mmCIF file of all heavy atoms in Angstrom:
data_model
loop_
_atom_site.group_PDB
_atom_site.id
_atom_site.type_symbol
_atom_site.label_atom_id
_atom_site.label_comp_id
_atom_site.label_asym_id
_atom_site.label_seq_id
_atom_site.Cartn_x
_atom_site.Cartn_y
_atom_site.Cartn_z
ATOM 1 N N ARG A 1 0.839 -1.200 0.000
ATOM 2 C CA ARG A 1 0.000 0.000 0.000
ATOM 3 C C ARG A 1 0.877 1.255 0.000
ATOM 4 O O ARG A 1 0.577 2.224 -0.697
ATOM 5 C CB ARG A 1 -0.914 -0.006 1.229
ATOM 6 C CG ARG A 1 -1.686 1.283 1.399
ATOM 7 C CD ARG A 1 -2.736 1.197 2.459
ATOM 8 N NE ARG A 1 -3.258 2.525 2.786
ATOM 9 C CZ ARG A 1 -4.324 2.742 3.538
ATOM 10 N NH1 ARG A 1 -5.011 1.716 4.027
ATOM 11 N NH2 ARG A 1 -4.729 3.964 3.809
ATOM 12 N N LEU A 2 1.951 1.213 0.767
ATOM 13 C CA LEU A 2 2.859 2.360 0.798
ATOM 14 C C LEU A 2 3.443 2.625 -0.583
ATOM 15 O O LEU A 2 3.556 3.775 -1.011
ATOM 16 C CB LEU A 2 3.981 2.092 1.812
ATOM 17 C CG LEU A 2 5.056 3.174 1.939
ATOM 18 C CD1 LEU A 2 4.469 4.417 2.609
ATOM 19 C CD2 LEU A 2 6.250 2.654 2.745
ATOM 20 N N MET A 3 3.809 1.544 -1.294
ATOM 21 C CA MET A 3 4.444 1.695 -2.599
ATOM 22 C C MET A 3 3.445 2.133 -3.677
ATOM 23 O O MET A 3 3.828 2.795 -4.648
ATOM 24 C CB MET A 3 5.118 0.387 -3.014
ATOM 25 C CG MET A 3 6.279 -0.018 -2.103
ATOM 26 S SD MET A 3 6.976 -1.632 -2.538
ATOM 27 C CE MET A 3 7.784 -1.251 -4.101
ATOM 28 N N THR A 4 2.188 1.749 -3.519
ATOM 29 C CA THR A 4 1.202 2.053 -4.561
ATOM 30 C C THR A 4 0.391 3.306 -4.253
ATOM 31 O O THR A 4 0.119 4.112 -5.148
ATOM 32 C CB THR A 4 0.240 0.864 -4.761
ATOM 33 O OG1 THR A 4 -0.350 0.508 -3.485
ATOM 34 C CG2 THR A 4 0.985 -0.335 -5.318
ATOM 35 N N LEU A 5 0.001 3.483 -2.999
ATOM 36 C CA LEU A 5 -0.850 4.617 -2.631
ATOM 37 C C LEU A 5 -0.085 5.736 -1.931
ATOM 38 O O LEU A 5 -0.606 6.832 -1.745
ATOM 39 C CB LEU A 5 -2.008 4.148 -1.743
ATOM 40 C CG LEU A 5 -2.940 3.087 -2.369
ATOM 41 C CD1 LEU A 5 -4.025 2.691 -1.385
ATOM 42 C CD2 LEU A 5 -3.554 3.624 -3.657
ATOM 43 N N GLY A 6 1.130 5.418 -1.477
ATOM 44 C CA GLY A 6 1.958 6.466 -0.884
ATOM 45 C C GLY A 6 1.764 6.692 0.593
ATOM 46 O O GLY A 6 2.367 7.599 1.171
ATOM 47 N N ASP A 7 0.895 5.890 1.248
ATOM 48 C CA ASP A 7 0.749 6.033 2.694
ATOM 49 C C ASP A 7 0.697 4.659 3.340
ATOM 50 O O ASP A 7 0.568 3.636 2.669
ATOM 51 C CB ASP A 7 -0.495 6.848 3.055
ATOM 52 C CG ASP A 7 -1.787 6.133 2.651
ATOM 53 O OD1 ASP A 7 -1.703 5.073 1.992
ATOM 54 O OD2 ASP A 7 -2.874 6.626 2.978
ATOM 55 N N ILE A 8 0.822 4.640 4.660
ATOM 56 C CA ILE A 8 0.849 3.384 5.390
ATOM 57 C C ILE A 8 -0.295 3.378 6.386
ATOM 58 O O ILE A 8 -0.592 4.428 6.998
ATOM 59 C CB ILE A 8 2.218 3.191 6.095
ATOM 60 C CG1 ILE A 8 2.402 1.755 6.553
ATOM 61 C CG2 ILE A 8 2.407 4.158 7.263
ATOM 62 C CD1 ILE A 8 3.842 1.420 6.882
ATOM 63 N N PRO A 9 -1.019 2.282 6.539
ATOM 64 C CA PRO A 9 -2.152 2.254 7.466
ATOM 65 C C PRO A 9 -1.722 2.605 8.895
ATOM 66 O O PRO A 9 -0.634 2.229 9.329
ATOM 67 C CB PRO A 9 -2.647 0.802 7.376
ATOM 68 C CG PRO A 9 -2.104 0.276 6.094
ATOM 69 C CD PRO A 9 -0.821 0.996 5.860
ATOM 70 N N ALA A 10 -2.573 3.309 9.594
ATOM 71 C CA ALA A 10 -2.247 3.727 10.960
ATOM 72 C C ALA A 10 -2.022 2.520 11.869
ATOM 73 O O ALA A 10 -1.229 2.582 12.816
ATOM 74 C CB ALA A 10 -3.364 4.601 11.510
ATOM 75 N N SER A 11 -2.714 1.439 11.560
ATOM 76 C CA SER A 11 -2.606 0.250 12.418
ATOM 77 C C SER A 11 -1.367 -0.592 12.125
ATOM 78 O O SER A 11 -1.077 -1.539 12.853
ATOM 79 C CB SER A 11 -3.845 -0.625 12.232
ATOM 80 O OG SER A 11 -3.954 -1.048 10.864
ATOM 81 N N ALA A 12 -0.626 -0.259 11.067
ATOM 82 C CA ALA A 12 0.499 -1.111 10.648
ATOM 83 C C ALA A 12 1.593 -1.187 11.704
ATOM 84 O O ALA A 12 2.297 -2.191 11.804
ATOM 85 C CB ALA A 12 1.078 -0.607 9.330
ATOM 86 N N MET A 13 1.773 -0.121 12.486
ATOM 87 C CA MET A 13 2.846 -0.093 13.479
ATOM 88 C C MET A 13 2.360 -0.437 14.888
ATOM 89 O O MET A 13 3.112 -0.279 15.848
ATOM 90 C CB MET A 13 3.503 1.290 13.497
ATOM 91 C CG MET A 13 4.222 1.621 12.213
ATOM 92 S SD MET A 13 5.485 0.395 11.821
ATOM 93 C CE MET A 13 5.808 0.812 10.105
ATOM 94 N N GLU A 14 1.144 -0.909 14.975
ATOM 95 C CA GLU A 14 0.610 -1.248 16.297
ATOM 96 C C GLU A 14 1.475 -2.324 16.957
ATOM 97 O O GLU A 14 1.752 -3.366 16.374
ATOM 98 C CB GLU A 14 -0.830 -1.741 16.161
ATOM 99 C CG GLU A 14 -1.519 -1.944 17.490
ATOM 100 C CD GLU A 14 -2.999 -2.261 17.336
ATOM 101 O OE1 GLU A 14 -3.572 -1.904 16.272
ATOM 102 O OE2 GLU A 14 -3.571 -2.846 18.256
ATOM 103 N N GLY A 15 1.906 -2.046 18.168
ATOM 104 C CA GLY A 15 2.740 -2.991 18.916
ATOM 105 C C GLY A 15 4.225 -2.821 18.679
ATOM 106 O O GLY A 15 5.040 -3.347 19.446
ATOM 107 N N TYR A 16 4.591 -2.094 17.616
ATOM 108 C CA TYR A 16 6.013 -1.964 17.310
ATOM 109 C C TYR A 16 6.724 -1.036 18.295
ATOM 110 O O TYR A 16 7.880 -1.257 18.642
ATOM 111 C CB TYR A 16 6.194 -1.443 15.882
ATOM 112 C CG TYR A 16 7.643 -1.434 15.429
ATOM 113 C CD1 TYR A 16 8.398 -2.599 15.450
ATOM 114 C CD2 TYR A 16 8.247 -0.267 14.978
ATOM 115 C CE1 TYR A 16 9.719 -2.600 15.033
ATOM 116 C CE2 TYR A 16 9.568 -0.260 14.549
ATOM 117 C CZ TYR A 16 10.299 -1.433 14.592
ATOM 118 O OH TYR A 16 11.611 -1.439 14.188
ATOM 119 N N GLY A 17 6.019 0.011 18.743
ATOM 120 C CA GLY A 17 6.622 0.905 19.731
ATOM 121 C C GLY A 17 6.971 0.178 21.008
ATOM 122 O O GLY A 17 8.079 0.333 21.558
ATOM 123 N N GLU A 18 6.052 -0.657 21.482
ATOM 124 C CA GLU A 18 6.317 -1.428 22.699
ATOM 125 C C GLU A 18 7.473 -2.390 22.489
ATOM 126 O O GLU A 18 8.298 -2.617 23.379
ATOM 127 C CB GLU A 18 5.054 -2.184 23.106
ATOM 128 C CG GLU A 18 5.171 -2.911 24.446
ATOM 129 C CD GLU A 18 3.866 -3.559 24.862
ATOM 130 O OE1 GLU A 18 2.826 -3.288 24.233
ATOM 131 O OE2 GLU A 18 3.896 -4.344 25.828
ATOM 132 N N GLU A 19 7.540 -2.953 21.278
ATOM 133 C CA GLU A 19 8.643 -3.857 20.957
ATOM 134 C C GLU A 19 9.985 -3.121 21.011
ATOM 135 O O GLU A 19 10.975 -3.635 21.556
ATOM 136 C CB GLU A 19 8.426 -4.456 19.567
ATOM 137 C CG GLU A 19 9.506 -5.426 19.133
ATOM 138 C CD GLU A 19 9.311 -5.925 17.713
ATOM 139 O OE1 GLU A 19 8.146 -6.003 17.267
ATOM 140 O OE2 GLU A 19 10.318 -6.202 17.031
ATOM 141 N N LEU A 20 10.031 -1.918 20.470
ATOM 142 C CA LEU A 20 11.269 -1.137 20.504
ATOM 143 C C LEU A 20 11.684 -0.814 21.936
ATOM 144 O O LEU A 20 12.860 -0.884 22.289
ATOM 145 C CB LEU A 20 11.093 0.166 19.716
ATOM 146 C CG LEU A 20 11.103 0.076 18.196
ATOM 147 C CD1 LEU A 20 10.881 1.454 17.592
ATOM 148 C CD2 LEU A 20 12.414 -0.507 17.683
ATOM 149 N N LEU A 21 10.703 -0.467 22.765
ATOM 150 C CA LEU A 21 11.007 -0.098 24.142
ATOM 151 C C LEU A 21 11.517 -1.285 24.955
ATOM 152 O O LEU A 21 12.203 -1.106 25.959
ATOM 153 C CB LEU A 21 9.767 0.500 24.823
ATOM 154 C CG LEU A 21 9.267 1.822 24.233
ATOM 155 C CD1 LEU A 21 7.982 2.275 24.932
ATOM 156 C CD2 LEU A 21 10.326 2.902 24.354
ATOM 157 N N SER A 22 11.180 -2.490 24.512
ATOM 158 C CA SER A 22 11.622 -3.682 25.240
ATOM 159 C C SER A 22 13.040 -4.107 24.857
ATOM 160 O O SER A 22 13.640 -4.951 25.508
ATOM 161 C CB SER A 22 10.666 -4.842 24.984
ATOM 162 O OG SER A 22 10.742 -5.275 23.630
ATOM 163 N N ARG A 23 13.569 -3.533 23.766
ATOM 164 C CA ARG A 23 14.913 -3.909 23.306
ATOM 165 C C ARG A 23 15.976 -3.093 24.030
ATOM 166 O O ARG A 23 15.713 -1.983 24.509
ATOM 167 C CB ARG A 23 15.063 -3.656 21.809
ATOM 168 C CG ARG A 23 14.144 -4.440 20.911
ATOM 169 C CD ARG A 23 14.398 -4.017 19.470
ATOM 170 N NE ARG A 23 13.465 -4.628 18.526
ATOM 171 C CZ ARG A 23 13.422 -4.312 17.242
ATOM 172 N NH1 ARG A 23 14.263 -3.397 16.750
ATOM 173 N NH2 ARG A 23 12.543 -4.895 16.436
ATOM 174 N N ASN A 24 17.174 -3.633 24.069
ATOM 175 C CA ASN A 24 18.315 -2.845 24.514
ATOM 176 C C ASN A 24 18.677 -1.868 23.402
ATOM 177 O O ASN A 24 18.758 -2.246 22.235
ATOM 178 C CB ASN A 24 19.512 -3.746 24.819
ATOM 179 C CG ASN A 24 19.282 -4.610 26.044
ATOM 180 O OD1 ASN A 24 18.632 -4.185 26.998
ATOM 181 N ND2 ASN A 24 19.800 -5.834 26.023
ATOM 182 N N LEU A 25 18.891 -0.620 23.761
ATOM 183 C CA LEU A 25 19.241 0.365 22.747
ATOM 184 C C LEU A 25 20.596 0.042 22.141
ATOM 185 O O LEU A 25 21.540 -0.298 22.870
ATOM 186 C CB LEU A 25 19.270 1.763 23.362
ATOM 187 C CG LEU A 25 17.928 2.297 23.865
ATOM 188 C CD1 LEU A 25 18.117 3.668 24.486
ATOM 189 C CD2 LEU A 25 16.919 2.370 22.733
ATOM 190 N N PRO A 26 20.720 0.128 20.818
ATOM 191 C CA PRO A 26 22.025 -0.143 20.190
ATOM 192 C C PRO A 26 23.027 0.935 20.571
ATOM 193 O O PRO A 26 22.671 2.097 20.769
ATOM 194 C CB PRO A 26 21.711 -0.118 18.695
ATOM 195 C CG PRO A 26 20.488 0.733 18.566
ATOM 196 C CD PRO A 26 19.693 0.510 19.818
ATOM 197 N N ARG A 27 24.288 0.524 20.659
ATOM 198 C CA ARG A 27 25.363 1.467 20.993
ATOM 199 C C ARG A 27 26.440 1.412 19.926
ATOM 200 O O ARG A 27 26.771 0.336 19.421
ATOM 201 C CB ARG A 27 26.000 1.114 22.341
ATOM 202 C CG ARG A 27 25.225 1.541 23.564
ATOM 203 C CD ARG A 27 25.964 1.120 24.819
ATOM 204 N NE ARG A 27 27.364 1.588 24.813
ATOM 205 C CZ ARG A 27 28.286 1.165 25.673
ATOM 206 N NH1 ARG A 27 27.981 0.261 26.577
ATOM 207 N NH2 ARG A 27 29.513 1.643 25.604
ATOM 208 N N PRO A 28 27.003 2.558 19.580
ATOM 209 C CA PRO A 28 28.114 2.546 18.628
ATOM 210 C C PRO A 28 29.401 2.138 19.324
ATOM 211 O O PRO A 28 29.452 2.038 20.564
ATOM 212 C CB PRO A 28 28.176 4.004 18.171
ATOM 213 C CG PRO A 28 27.707 4.780 19.372
ATOM 214 C CD PRO A 28 26.657 3.919 20.029
ATOM 215 N N GLN A 29 30.440 1.904 18.561
ATOM 216 C CA GLN A 29 31.737 1.607 19.157
ATOM 217 C C GLN A 29 32.244 2.836 19.894
ATOM 218 O O GLN A 29 32.050 3.974 19.472
ATOM 219 C CB GLN A 29 32.732 1.194 18.069
ATOM 220 C CG GLN A 29 32.379 -0.109 17.386
ATOM 221 C CD GLN A 29 33.389 -0.481 16.315
ATOM 222 O OE1 GLN A 29 34.441 0.153 16.193
ATOM 223 N NE2 GLN A 29 33.081 -1.502 15.545
ATOM 224 N N ASP A 30 32.909 2.567 21.006
ATOM 225 C CA ASP A 30 33.355 3.672 21.871
ATOM 226 C C ASP A 30 34.248 4.663 21.138
ATOM 227 O O ASP A 30 34.093 5.881 21.281
ATOM 228 C CB ASP A 30 34.101 3.125 23.095
ATOM 229 C CG ASP A 30 33.169 2.420 24.075
ATOM 230 O OD1 ASP A 30 31.936 2.561 23.918
ATOM 231 O OD2 ASP A 30 33.672 1.731 24.989
ATOM 232 N N ASP A 31 35.201 4.159 20.336
ATOM 233 C CA ASP A 31 36.138 5.079 19.685
ATOM 234 C C ASP A 31 35.444 5.980 18.672
ATOM 235 O O ASP A 31 35.783 7.162 18.529
ATOM 236 C CB ASP A 31 37.279 4.303 19.026
ATOM 237 C CG ASP A 31 36.793 3.269 18.025
ATOM 238 O OD1 ASP A 31 35.593 2.902 18.076
ATOM 239 O OD2 ASP A 31 37.599 2.805 17.199
ATOM 240 N N ILE A 32 34.441 5.419 17.966
ATOM 241 C CA ILE A 32 33.701 6.232 17.005
ATOM 242 C C ILE A 32 32.883 7.299 17.729
ATOM 243 O O ILE A 32 32.838 8.469 17.315
ATOM 244 C CB ILE A 32 32.787 5.337 16.139
ATOM 245 C CG1 ILE A 32 33.633 4.379 15.296
ATOM 246 C CG2 ILE A 32 31.887 6.185 15.252
ATOM 247 C CD1 ILE A 32 32.819 3.396 14.489
ATOM 248 N N LEU A 33 32.229 6.890 18.821
ATOM 249 C CA LEU A 33 31.426 7.848 19.583
ATOM 250 C C LEU A 33 32.307 8.955 20.163
ATOM 251 O O LEU A 33 31.960 10.150 20.094
ATOM 252 C CB LEU A 33 30.670 7.128 20.700
ATOM 253 C CG LEU A 33 29.844 8.024 21.626
ATOM 254 C CD1 LEU A 33 28.796 8.796 20.842
ATOM 255 C CD2 LEU A 33 29.185 7.188 22.734
ATOM 256 N N LEU A 34 33.449 8.590 20.715
ATOM 257 C CA LEU A 34 34.353 9.592 21.294
ATOM 258 C C LEU A 34 34.805 10.594 20.237
ATOM 259 O O LEU A 34 34.892 11.804 20.491
ATOM 260 C CB LEU A 34 35.562 8.895 21.924
ATOM 261 C CG LEU A 34 35.285 8.136 23.230
ATOM 262 C CD1 LEU A 34 36.466 7.241 23.596
ATOM 263 C CD2 LEU A 34 34.982 9.115 24.367
ATOM 264 N N GLU A 35 35.097 10.109 19.051
ATOM 265 C CA GLU A 35 35.532 10.992 17.965
ATOM 266 C C GLU A 35 34.434 11.986 17.596
ATOM 267 O O GLU A 35 34.688 13.183 17.418
ATOM 268 C CB GLU A 35 35.914 10.151 16.743
ATOM 269 C CG GLU A 35 36.352 10.969 15.547
ATOM 270 C CD GLU A 35 36.621 10.104 14.326
ATOM 271 O OE1 GLU A 35 36.715 8.859 14.477
ATOM 272 O OE2 GLU A 35 36.712 10.666 13.221
ATOM 273 N N GLN A 36 33.189 11.487 17.482
ATOM 274 C CA GLN A 36 32.081 12.353 17.093
ATOM 275 C C GLN A 36 31.713 13.342 18.196
ATOM 276 O O GLN A 36 31.357 14.498 17.914
ATOM 277 C CB GLN A 36 30.862 11.507 16.712
ATOM 278 C CG GLN A 36 31.031 10.711 15.434
ATOM 279 C CD GLN A 36 31.279 11.622 14.245
ATOM 280 O OE1 GLN A 36 30.577 12.616 14.048
ATOM 281 N NE2 GLN A 36 32.307 11.307 13.465
ATOM 282 N N LEU A 37 31.814 12.923 19.445
ATOM 283 C CA LEU A 37 31.553 13.847 20.549
ATOM 284 C C LEU A 37 32.604 14.948 20.586
ATOM 285 O O LEU A 37 32.295 16.129 20.810
ATOM 286 C CB LEU A 37 31.523 13.089 21.882
ATOM 287 C CG LEU A 37 30.325 12.149 22.102
ATOM 288 C CD1 LEU A 37 30.479 11.382 23.413
ATOM 289 C CD2 LEU A 37 29.002 12.916 22.096
ATOM 290 N N ALA A 38 33.855 14.562 20.348
ATOM 291 C CA ALA A 38 34.942 15.554 20.346
ATOM 292 C C ALA A 38 34.725 16.581 19.241
ATOM 293 O O ALA A 38 34.969 17.789 19.441
ATOM 294 C CB ALA A 38 36.281 14.850 20.183
ATOM 295 N N GLU A 39 34.274 16.128 18.064
ATOM 296 C CA GLU A 39 34.023 17.058 16.955
ATOM 297 C C GLU A 39 32.951 18.076 17.314
ATOM 298 O O GLU A 39 32.962 19.211 16.822
ATOM 299 C CB GLU A 39 33.611 16.289 15.702
ATOM 300 C CG GLU A 39 34.756 15.595 14.988
ATOM 301 C CD GLU A 39 34.311 14.992 13.663
ATOM 302 O OE1 GLU A 39 33.168 15.293 13.221
ATOM 303 O OE2 GLU A 39 35.093 14.222 13.077
ATOM 304 N N ARG A 40 32.008 17.668 18.154
ATOM 305 C CA ARG A 40 30.914 18.558 18.537
ATOM 306 C C ARG A 40 31.216 19.337 19.816
ATOM 307 O O ARG A 40 30.361 20.062 20.328
ATOM 308 C CB ARG A 40 29.631 17.735 18.716
ATOM 309 C CG ARG A 40 29.077 17.176 17.410
ATOM 310 C CD ARG A 40 28.001 16.140 17.682
ATOM 311 N NE ARG A 40 27.319 15.719 16.461
ATOM 312 C CZ ARG A 40 27.777 14.822 15.603
ATOM 313 N NH1 ARG A 40 28.965 14.244 15.824
ATOM 314 N NH2 ARG A 40 27.091 14.504 14.527
ATOM 315 N N GLY A 41 32.413 19.131 20.359
ATOM 316 C CA GLY A 41 32.787 19.827 21.583
ATOM 317 C C GLY A 41 32.056 19.318 22.807
ATOM 318 O O GLY A 41 31.803 20.068 23.752
ATOM 319 N N LEU A 42 31.702 18.025 22.798
ATOM 320 C CA LEU A 42 30.942 17.430 23.902
ATOM 321 C C LEU A 42 31.798 16.443 24.671
ATOM 322 O O LEU A 42 32.710 15.813 24.119
ATOM 323 C CB LEU A 42 29.702 16.705 23.361
ATOM 324 C CG LEU A 42 28.673 17.573 22.621
ATOM 325 C CD1 LEU A 42 27.606 16.691 21.990
ATOM 326 C CD2 LEU A 42 28.050 18.580 23.574
ATOM 327 N N GLY A 43 31.482 16.276 25.943
ATOM 328 C CA GLY A 43 32.138 15.267 26.759
ATOM 329 C C GLY A 43 31.377 13.958 26.702
ATOM 330 O O GLY A 43 30.249 13.882 26.198
ATOM 331 N N SER A 44 32.001 12.910 27.224
ATOM 332 C CA SER A 44 31.387 11.574 27.190
ATOM 333 C C SER A 44 31.041 11.033 28.567
ATOM 334 O O SER A 44 30.281 10.073 28.684
ATOM 335 C CB SER A 44 32.313 10.584 26.486
ATOM 336 O OG SER A 44 33.563 10.508 27.159
ATOM 337 N N GLU A 45 31.574 11.633 29.630
ATOM 338 C CA GLU A 45 31.373 11.032 30.958
ATOM 339 C C GLU A 45 29.917 11.091 31.400
ATOM 340 O O GLU A 45 29.392 10.116 31.954
ATOM 341 C CB GLU A 45 32.257 11.715 32.004
ATOM 342 C CG GLU A 45 32.120 11.052 33.381
ATOM 343 C CD GLU A 45 33.153 11.520 34.388
ATOM 344 O OE1 GLU A 45 34.009 12.359 34.028
ATOM 345 O OE2 GLU A 45 33.115 11.034 35.530
ATOM 346 N N ALA A 46 29.250 12.204 31.155
ATOM 347 C CA ALA A 46 27.853 12.312 31.578
ATOM 348 C C ALA A 46 27.008 11.232 30.891
ATOM 349 O O ALA A 46 26.135 10.612 31.512
ATOM 350 C CB ALA A 46 27.316 13.702 31.247
ATOM 351 N N TYR A 47 27.267 11.007 29.587
ATOM 352 C CA TYR A 47 26.578 9.931 28.849
ATOM 353 C C TYR A 47 26.907 8.574 29.452
ATOM 354 O O TYR A 47 26.023 7.739 29.690
ATOM 355 C CB TYR A 47 26.990 9.998 27.374
ATOM 356 C CG TYR A 47 26.702 8.753 26.573
ATOM 357 C CD1 TYR A 47 25.429 8.478 26.109
ATOM 358 C CD2 TYR A 47 27.726 7.851 26.264
ATOM 359 C CE1 TYR A 47 25.157 7.340 25.362
ATOM 360 C CE2 TYR A 47 27.470 6.709 25.521
ATOM 361 C CZ TYR A 47 26.185 6.456 25.063
ATOM 362 O OH TYR A 47 25.936 5.329 24.328
#
């Protein structure tokens, strides 16, 4: 329906939000995160 009509039914994502909340959040590799935080002038300890 999305490909043909351009929209997705409101009920299509029912239950998916709860599923996401039950998962462990993905984390990037520490060295990559540290590099990106440094570029933005941010620290990492609070995170």
Side-chain angles (χ1 to χ4, degrees):
R1 173 171 168 170
L2 178 70
M3 295 176 70
T4 54
L5 301 179
D7 65 354
I8 195 164
S11 60
M13 294 303 165
E14 187 173 337
Y16 187 57
E18 186 176 349
E19 181 184 330
L20 284 179
L21 295 176
S22 68
R23 298 178 186 174
N24 291 325
L25 295 178
R27 281 180 53 192
Q29 294 180 9
D30 289 348
D31 57 342
I32 296 176
L33 177 59
L34 288 168
E35 179 184 347
Q36 291 299 313
L37 290 176
E39 284 187 11
R40 291 168 172 81
L42 298 172
S44 59
E45 183 169 359
Y47 163 79

